[in-house]
Amino acid sequence: MASSVTIAGSVKVGNECIIYASSNIKDQIRIGNNVIIGMGSLILQNIPDNQMWYGAPAKQIKQL
């Protein structure tokens, strides 16, 4: 997890995740295992395992 990441309450982050700088994750979100979240992303929904997300609001850009 890089600097300036904002995580609201009750977020669950799985194993082997990479969260790049200035990302924001909304309350009550579940991030699966082996997920990559790109820099400056805004996460508004749950992310399943083995995916790469980027954008504001974030969208899946790649299956890992």
Side-chain angles (χ1 to χ4, degrees), residues 2-51:
S3 63
S4 298
V5 172
T6 303
I7 297 179
S10 301
V11 171
K12 294 186 180 183
V13 179
N15 298 317
E16 310 277 335
C17 291
I18 300 172
I19 303 173
Y20 285 99
S22 300
S23 296
N24 296 289
I25 304 174
K26 180 183 165 253
D27 188 30
Q28 306 279 329
I29 297 293
R30 183 178 195 107
I31 307 296
N33 296 315
N34 194 34
V35 168
I36 299 173
I37 297 174
M39 181 165 34
S41 295
L42 175 59
I43 306 299
L44 300 175
Q45 59 187 321
N46 295 331
I47 300 177
D49 295 343
N50 305 311
Q51 295 189 1

Side-chain angles (χ1 to χ4, degrees), residues 49-63:
D49 295 343
N50 305 311
Q51 295 189 1
M52 180 184 291
W53 283 53
Y54 178 75
K59 298 181 205 171
Q60 179 186 358
I61 59 171
K62 185 176 181 181
Q63 181 74 32

